[in-house]
């Protein structure tokens, strides 16, 4: 019943912006953590930004000051505003949901979307 669906990926020039969205259904607990992760071929999945139920956030050092994670509880949606994009941001971006552990470690998340591609040139 739990389902996550990403959207908003695309191709942009360096310095440009994109806004990713994730529709989430099937949340079962009062407390939880959701976030964005990215992965390139032959590399480990990397935590980008996460947000817990009460709004506390954690960002990877590589995106601090450029990316902003947010959520809309009424719409059951998660967002990632990405500004000042760099070629090294190119990856498949996934949204994920898990327990109340606030962490960028991908192995602490249980549910995953199928991903949306972001390409920066």
């Amino acid at each position: 019943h739990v389902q996550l669906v990403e959207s908003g990926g695309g191709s942009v020039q360096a310095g440009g912006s994109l806004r990713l969205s994730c529709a989430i259904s099937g949340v079962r607990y009062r407390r939880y953590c959701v976030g964005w992760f990215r992965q390139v071929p032959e590399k480990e999945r990397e935590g980008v930004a996460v947000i817990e139920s009460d709004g506390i956030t954690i960002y990877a050092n590589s995106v601090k000051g450029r990316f902003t994670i947010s959520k809309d509880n009424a719409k059951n949606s998660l967002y990632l505003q990405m500004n000042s994009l760099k070629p090294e941001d190119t990856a498949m971006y996934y949204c994920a949901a898990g327990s109340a552990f606030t962490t960028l470690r991908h192995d602490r998340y249980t549910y995953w979307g199928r991903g949306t591609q972001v390409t920066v040139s």
Side-chain angles (χ1 to χ4, degrees):
H1 224 88
V2 176
Q3 186 171 244
L4 295 84
V5 182
E6 304 95 336
S7 63
S11 298
V12 299
Q13 292 184 304
S17 299
L18 282 174
R19 182 176 172 84
L20 306 184
S21 298
C22 177
I24 304 172
S25 62
V27 176
R28 304 190 305 276
Y29 307 108
R30 295 285 190 180
R31 293 186 176 277
Y32 59 89
C33 191
V34 292
W36 292 95
F37 299 77
R38 64 188 182 187
Q39 188 170 26
V40 298
E42 302 179 359
K43 293 191 68 176
E44 186 176 358
R45 190 164 297 187
E46 173 191 21
V48 176
V50 300
I51 183 168
E52 65 179 33
S53 304
D54 61 3
I56 295 175
T57 58
I58 299 177
Y59 292 91
N61 289 332
S62 60
V63 306
K64 286 181 179 178
R66 299 189 298 120
F67 292 9
T68 302
I69 188 171
S70 62
K71 60 184 177 69
D72 186 329
N73 293 331
K75 296 181 178 180
N76 292 324
S77 297
L78 178 70
Y79 307 99
L80 184 68
Q81 179 65 47
M82 305 186 293
N83 298 325
S84 301
L85 284 162
K86 305 175 180 180
E88 49 264 48
D89 294 318
T90 295
M92 182 72 75
Y93 283 71
Y94 302 87
C95 60
S99 70
F101 297 111
T102 309
T103 177
L104 290 171
R105 288 183 55 173
H106 66 86
D107 58 356
R108 301 303 185 191
Y109 293 79
T110 304
Y111 305 104
W112 294 85
R114 294 184 182 276
T116 184
Q117 180 67 37
V118 172
T119 302
V120 185
S121 60

